[in-house]
Amino acid sequence: MGSTGVKIYVAGHRGMVGSAILRHLKARRDAGENIKLLTRTSRELDLTNQAMVQDFFAAEAPDQVVLAAAKVGGIHANNAYPADFIYENLMIECNVIHAAHAQGVQRLLQLGSSCIYPKLAPQPMAEAALLTDTLEATNEPYAIAKIAGIKLCESYNRQYGRDYRSVMPTNLYGPGDNFHPENSHVLPALIRRFDAAARAGDDQVTIWGTGTPRREFLHVDDMAAASLFVLDLDVDTYRRETNPMLSHINVGCGQDISILELAQMVADVVGFKGEIRTNPDQPDGTPRKLMDVSRLARLGWQAGIPLREGLVQTYGWYLEQDQASLRSK
């Protein structure tokens, strides 16, 4: 690292993934690693503003960049705000990746999403499935923006010899998640609904769709650990599992669960004793999303937090936030 240390800019450090990565980096710094951490809130630095981003990179000159900033949301949010999702994510990626290159940053890690893969991609989804078929319609604008981020990294690597890497997480959950009643992803939405039903003494909860789609879930602390693992890989090791046209790496636990089974697990964790019903009139989304994580496994990393253990921890965090909100009123 050298005597001056490595300055790492974490873009999106207040988001669920970015905050977890920042926690992990702070722990490494506290343990003695020579790391300097660089962050900015969205109020301090609008990543959709090209001039502001360029000025920031010129002034701060980070050595490495972790691009965890993104506009994210569940099925409802993606359906309701498609223009926002494609515009903001494209602008963030273009501005940050180009400014990093212009400032001479050699290594960058961009975080994407499993929604980059076709709706009916063979399961489990391997990295090579990218751009082989039609995307899921409900989140196509977001997916296209994330695919563009991968191709930006690949293009700067090919044309300029940069070392820009991309990791594609499966569905994430954990502390810092979004529990908004309309704009949250499926797991925090279920926690919120079943917790409210248990408190109210309701005798039933209805979930969206048929309950048959299968999803894979990864705790955000596992995602943070995997992200830094990939960021830290030496170039030769990383390139043994990637090439200029297949530079992204899947991150997941390698196991999936049906939405109905997930709802039953959440109900058990929060103490809801009533009936769980499905609503086939609501959209299911992609039938199955399971990541092929064999490339990451060959590199030497695998997930370590079981789903139920992670759910218990996440529900505890949710209750703490709820109590803190009540105290602040």
Side-chain angles (χ1 to χ4, degrees):
M1 283 191 179
S3 59
T4 59
V6 172
K7 184 188 289 188
I8 303 176
Y9 169 46
V10 181
H13 74 285
R14 286 187 166 181
M16 178 173 65
V17 184
S19 62
I21 289 172
L22 191 64
R23 288 196 304 272
H24 283 237
L25 285 171
K26 285 180 176 178
R28 286 167 53 167
R29 183 189 62 190
D30 294 344
E33 288 194 36
N34 198 352
I35 297 172
K36 295 182 179 180
L37 297 175
L38 183 60
T39 62
R40 290 291 187 277
T41 66
S42 58
R43 285 175 176 264
E44 294 169 328
L45 175 60
D46 178 2
L47 294 179
T48 67
N49 184 309
Q50 186 181 59
M52 289 182 67
V53 175
Q54 290 175 341
D55 290 346
F56 166 76
F57 271 83
E60 297 294 342
D63 300 304
Q64 296 181 3
V65 174
V66 176
L67 178 49
K71 182 177 181 62
V72 298
I75 291 177
H76 173 82
N78 276 274
N79 269 331
Y81 315 112
D84 294 350
F85 273 84
I86 192 167
Y87 172 78
E88 291 186 31
N89 285 298
L90 282 172
M91 292 300 290
I92 290 169
E93 293 162 357
C94 288
N95 290 342
V96 172
I97 292 170
H98 181 73
H101 161 69
Q103 188 56 37
V105 176
Q106 182 61 14
R107 184 168 296 185
L108 175 148
L109 183 74
Q110 184 223 186
L111 278 70
S113 167
S114 61
C115 73
I116 63 168
Y117 295 117
K119 177 178 181 177
L120 300 178
Q123 301 291 319
M125 298 180 293
E127 287 87 350
L130 183 66
L131 296 177
T132 58
D133 207 340
T134 305
L135 297 164
E136 161 60 42
T138 57
N139 58 17
E140 182 186 68
Y142 177 72
I144 288 175
K146 286 300 169 183
I147 292 169
I150 294 173
K151 294 304 177 182
L152 274 167
C153 289
E154 290 178 358
S155 298
Y156 280 89
N157 291 346
R158 291 171 61 198
Q159 185 171 344
Y160 296 108
R162 294 302 184 195
D163 185 8
Y164 293 174
R165 309 172 178 189
S166 298
V167 284
M168 299 297 116
T170 188
N171 297 289
L172 300 174
Y173 73 98
D177 210 339
N178 173 21
F179 289 86
H180 190 278
E182 292 183 348
N183 296 336
S184 59
H185 288 103
V186 60
L187 198 152
L190 289 174
I191 289 177
R192 181 187 180 99
R193 292 185 63 196
F194 280 106
D195 174 70
R199 292 173 188 243
D202 294 343
D203 58 6
Q204 68 179 47
V205 167
T206 301
I207 62 174
W208 270 36
T210 63
T212 58
R214 301 186 65 84
R215 295 289 183 269
E216 176 186 17
F217 295 94
L218 184 73
H219 193 282
V220 69
D221 280 327
D222 271 341
M223 181 60 201
S227 297
L228 296 178
F229 174 85
V230 172
L231 179 67
D232 290 341
L233 287 170
D234 66 80
V235 175
D236 291 339
T237 301
Y238 178 75
R239 289 181 177 168
R240 279 204 299 269
E241 284 295 333
T242 62
N243 61 62
M245 297 303 294
L246 197 63
S247 67
H248 61 288
I249 295 180
N250 289 344
V251 184
C253 65
Q255 298 178 339
D256 60 3
I257 184 174
S258 76
I259 296 300
L260 181 56
E261 291 171 327
L262 176 67
Q264 292 166 341
M265 187 182 293
V266 170
D268 185 54
V269 168
V270 306
F272 175 74
K273 305 298 184 183
E275 178 186 4
I276 301 174
R277 295 184 176 181
T278 59
N279 181 3
D281 292 333
Q282 296 290 352
D284 272 337
T286 306
R288 190 185 190 197
K289 286 176 68 175
L290 177 64
M291 303 285 261
D292 180 345
V293 293
S294 58
R295 296 177 81 191
L296 187 56
R298 287 193 296 270
L299 287 166
W301 188 91
Q302 63 181 11
I305 303 174
L307 179 56
R308 184 180 176 85
E309 177 185 321
L311 278 176
V312 170
Q313 185 217 39
T314 303
Y315 182 51
W317 183 87
Y318 173 74
L319 293 178
E320 289 175 2
Q321 302 308 301
D322 190 50
Q323 289 298 314
S325 177
L326 288 174
R327 288 193 298 269
S328 66
K329 292 181 179 179

